Amino acid sequence: MTAPRTIHFTLNGAAVAATVMPHQSLVELLRERFDLFGARESCGQGLCGCCTVLVDGRAVSSCLYLAAFVDGAGVTTVEHLAADGDLDPVQEAFIETGAFQCGFCTPGFVLMTKQLLDEIPDPSDDDIRHYLSGNLCRCGAYPEIVAAVKLAARRQRGA
Amino acid sequence: MTPFELEEPVLLGAALALLDPEDSSVRAIAGGTALMLMMKSGLYRPRRLVSLRKLAPALDGVRSAPDGGIEIGAMVRLSDLRRSAVVRAAAPVIAETLLTHSNVRVRNVATIGGNLAQGDPHMDLPPVLIALGASVRLAGPGGERIVRVEDLLTGYLETVIANNELITAVIVPPQTGWRTAYAKVTARSADDWPALGLAVSVRVEAGIARDARIAIGAATETAMRLPGTEALLAGRAIDDALLQEAGRAAAAEAPVVADHHGSASYKRVLVAVHLGRALRQTIAGAER
């Protein structure tokens, strides 16, 4: 039905329910219903990565994801990374290396890096470029971003 | 996006019943990455979408077939396909192609069934699957039929899939003796939509191309084979002169069209150059 429906999912570690329309996207739901503004719609086509969130641990473009599809799933946004008051090692590495200027794209890069380091703890330059090729930084902080990923990887490995 | 009904059946039969043979605005949605783009641009305004999300357990997984081929469930996500050890062993070109297919986020969501059902000529997988001789299983109210991928795609965003049919699996036959390569040519970044996609599959014995399957995508209205170029290669000794001749033949044979990735004349040059390169790559593999 075109009518609203209630979905239940885990958002940043907490069980939540929400009423959504079938044609509502996940990024709209997060911003309009939950006041989570870390994911932002920029290109609207899955190309830029600014709307990146994790669904069941995997990065997705929340502008291309129907909100109804997260029913039963676990959603993590950038806000969750520092929920305990301490920044995530990936966030710290981005700050230390100066891996941004305006910061608009940064939540997407940070979350994409989370999936990368979950899957490849010691990524090569090629791995980093491959995982982050779908995230665009118009300030052009790419060299610092690659350095930040390497720094975060080293710290997480305890090297 | 305009409002629509969303149904989420858990059984294949229920999904088929929710599709409407008379209404092409009722469609199945898998990952939805391609449909979302069409809905957001207003190109597609569905009355109803039938989500296949809850059918995924039945349409998931990559299996080895007894004949040495593989069968890929329609709901297998492209990121899982890229990582599948079964795929890497049986048809490594699929995994290699997916490395520069869109980006990690899209591959985490998009499925192989949706990729084919979309009928978009700029997708990388259709020419690769055509060159591999792959087919799809189509489920409909009257049962199942098997259609070769080269017969599935009929035009720009057009396929032979009826309004009340669904792709349930992709069948890749055994590739014994065959070598396949895919040349993706982009006008911008490596993972952009291609200006040209050329998939080449050859069976080489003692320097002779016994058989060839050549499929083109992105430069044509739909992914298709180039039978004239295939025939030119068959039974010939492979040398630089033949590769150049084949490149020229493919550029003349392919009904190339312009888009914002390049003019038709530019794309014909790409075809002539990259066919030879792709063939060289397959032959080098075959003689290794």
Side-chain angles (χ1 to χ4, degrees):
Chain A
M1 299 296 291
T2 53
R5 63 184 59 205
T6 301
I7 61 169
H8 300 267
F9 63 107
T10 305
L11 177 59
N12 292 337
V16 296
T19 303
V20 301
M21 295 298 288
H23 64 283
Q24 199 172 2
S25 70
L26 178 56
V27 68
E28 290 170 340
L29 176 70
L30 294 171
R31 296 176 67 89
E32 292 165 14
R33 166 69 181 76
F34 292 101
D35 291 342
L36 293 169
F37 299 111
R40 56 284 298 257
E41 182 158 356
S42 184
C43 76
Q45 299 177 49
L47 302 173
C48 75
C50 290
C51 68
T52 302
V53 301
L54 305 181
V55 175
D56 291 334
R58 293 210 212 192
V60 311
S61 291
S62 59
C63 78
L64 291 188
Y65 208 93
L66 285 181
F69 285 0
V70 300
D71 188 32
V75 177
T76 304
T77 69
V78 72
E79 286 85 353
H80 191 52
L81 299 186
D84 58 1
D86 293 328
L87 292 176
D88 185 271
V90 174
Q91 292 173 307
E92 285 181 344
F94 269 66
I95 292 170
E96 284 178 40
T97 54
F100 50 82
Q101 285 186 43
C102 80
F104 190 86
C105 66
T106 309
F109 272 99
V110 167
L111 287 173
M112 205 62 238
T113 301
K114 292 294 287 179
Q115 186 186 338
L116 165 62
L117 298 184
D118 280 351
E119 294 175 358
I120 310 176
D122 187 11
S124 66
D125 278 28
D126 277 353
D127 292 328
I128 295 169
R129 292 201 169 93
H130 173 217
Y131 271 73
L132 300 183
S133 67
N135 291 70
L136 302 182
C137 170
R138 296 296 75 171
C139 300
Y142 298 110
E144 291 81 6
I145 290 169
V146 173
V149 175
K150 288 181 176 171
L151 176 62
R154 270 201 307 279
R155 291 218 178 120
Q156 290 199 353
R157 292 197 313 276
Chain B
M1 289 191 286
T2 53
F4 50 81
E5 297 171 28
L6 179 64
E7 300 286 351
E8 300 197 281
V10 293
L11 294 172
L12 181 63
L16 294 172
L18 285 163
L19 295 169
D20 186 337
E22 306 301 328
D23 185 352
S24 62
S25 84
V26 175
R27 288 190 62 163
I29 181 167
T33 46
L35 278 187
M36 288 289 279
L37 291 178
M38 292 175 71
M39 292 190 290
K40 291 174 86 167
S41 67
L43 189 64
Y44 173 52
R45 297 163 190 264
R47 175 167 68 83
R48 177 197 297 153
L49 288 180
V50 180
S51 166
L52 306 182
R53 187 168 71 99
K54 293 181 178 172
L55 300 180
L59 304 181
D60 206 358
V62 182
R63 289 172 295 281
S64 300
D67 66 359
I70 56 175
E71 183 152 338
I72 304 163
M75 289 294 283
V76 171
R77 294 182 289 187
L78 300 184
S79 53
D80 293 325
L81 194 59
R82 189 176 83 78
R83 277 180 262 233
S84 161
V86 176
V87 167
R88 281 169 187 265
V93 68
I94 294 177
E96 289 157 14
T97 297
L98 288 171
L99 195 62
T100 56
H101 185 294
S102 58
N103 59 48
V104 172
R105 291 185 312 279
V106 170
R107 294 200 302 266
N108 278 345
V109 176
T111 66
I112 188 170
N115 184 281
L116 290 174
Q118 183 70 6
D120 186 331
H122 291 92
M123 300 281 195
D124 294 305
L125 283 178
V128 170
L129 291 169
I130 289 172
L132 291 169
S135 305
V136 296
R137 291 186 190 277
L138 288 180
E144 182 184 272
R145 62 182 177 130
I146 293 176
V147 177
R148 294 193 301 177
V149 175
E150 65 192 72
D151 299 325
L152 183 77
L153 309 164
T154 53
Y156 187 78
L157 302 180
E158 288 178 12
T159 70
V160 301
I161 306 168
N163 284 336
N164 57 353
E165 284 185 314
L166 288 172
I167 298 175
T168 57
V170 178
I171 303 163
V172 181
Q175 302 294 316
T176 316
W178 291 81
R179 298 282 167 163
T180 305
Y182 178 61
K184 174 172 180 161
V185 189
T186 61
R188 296 178 298 200
S189 63
D191 53 4
D192 192 13
W193 299 88
L196 166 69
L198 262 182
V200 172
S201 214
V202 287
R203 194 167 60 81
V204 180
E205 283 171 5
I208 307 285
R210 288 296 168 202
D211 245 326
R213 286 191 295 252
I214 297 170
I216 186 171
T220 47
E221 281 283 323
T222 189
M224 62 176 71
R225 279 175 79 167
L226 299 176
T229 309
E230 293 173 1
L232 182 148
L233 287 166
R236 303 268 298 271
I238 294 164
D239 55 23
D240 284 353
L242 178 65
L243 295 183
Q244 285 177 18
E245 185 187 344
R248 283 193 300 271
E253 181 182 10
V256 173
V257 293
D259 60 18
H260 65 283
H261 300 284
S263 65
S265 58
Y266 170 64
K267 291 190 178 202
R268 271 192 288 273
V269 174
L270 294 181
V271 172
V273 170
H274 286 277
L275 182 72
R277 288 188 191 170
L279 280 165
R280 227 173 251 125
Q281 200 183 327
T282 53
I283 293 155
E287 290 176 346
R288 236 193 337 251

